[in-house]
């Protein structure tokens, strides 16, 4: 669940001064296989490309993934860029047979889940 992910990763990401984009690799029972940092960006952004997001998921092999990044600003609301890249990554996942279960944005004291908001 998003709460489980946030409980584990919020302490690691909430105080960072740069945006960090991670992918969580899940097995067919939705257990965590591994996590990988895809990019470390600047204060308010990071570069993410489907090739890097799905590379390890293919090699692992993962049954599905969860996308996650932090917002150093403390505001968990998805930006238009967050929504756009999530749509792009979901489409790439469909093509490769590796579904994106969620995209979670972690902020200082809160989070936003694309799945909970119906944005996937």
């Amino acid at each position: 669940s998003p709460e489980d992910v946030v409980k584990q990763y919020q302490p690691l990401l909430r105080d960072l001064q740069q945006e960090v984009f991670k992918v969580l690799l899940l097995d067919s029972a939705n257990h965590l296989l591994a996590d990988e940092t895809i990019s470390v960006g600047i204060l308010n952004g990071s570069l993410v490309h489907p090739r890097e997001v799905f590379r390890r998921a293919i090699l692992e092999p993962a049954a599905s993934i969860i996308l996650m990044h932090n917002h150093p600003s403390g505001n968990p609301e998805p930006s238009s860029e967050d929504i756009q890249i999530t749509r792009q990554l979901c489409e790439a996942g469909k093509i490769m047979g590796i579904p994106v279960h969620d995209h979670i944005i972690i902020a200082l004291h809160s989070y936003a889940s694309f799945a909970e908001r119906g944005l996937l």
Side-chain angles (χ1 to χ4, degrees):
S1 72
E3 292 84 14
D4 292 334
V5 172
V6 171
K7 186 189 301 184
Q8 184 171 348
Y9 287 94
Q10 192 170 37
L12 304 172
L13 297 175
R14 67 178 170 210
D15 295 324
L16 298 178
Q17 298 302 309
Q18 294 178 305
E19 195 168 285
V20 174
F21 194 100
K22 293 179 136 330
V23 62
L24 308 181
L25 308 174
L26 307 175
D27 66 15
S28 58
N30 290 328
H31 294 122
L32 182 65
L33 294 170
D35 69 59
E36 182 166 5
T37 299
I38 301 301
S39 69
V40 177
I42 55 174
L43 178 64
N44 61 353
S46 63
L47 297 174
V48 179
H49 191 278
R51 179 177 47 244
E52 283 75 33
V53 169
F54 288 97
R55 180 179 53 83
R56 184 150 175 217
I58 292 167
L59 296 173
E60 201 59 41
S64 59
I65 63 172
I66 295 174
L67 309 171
M68 178 177 55
H69 76 280
N70 65 314
H71 275 180
S73 68
N75 179 358
E77 291 303 310
S79 67
S80 59
E81 291 84 6
D82 292 336
I83 293 168
Q84 181 181 354
I85 190 64
T86 301
R87 287 184 181 145
Q88 183 183 28
L89 293 171
C90 286
E91 286 302 313
K94 285 178 189 173
I95 292 168
M96 290 187 282
I98 304 172
V100 176
H101 283 320
D102 204 349
H103 184 167
I104 299 170
I105 300 172
I106 293 179
L108 185 59
H109 298 294
S110 57
Y111 72 94
S113 162
F114 279 56
E116 288 181 342
R117 293 175 178 214
L119 295 173
L120 291 182

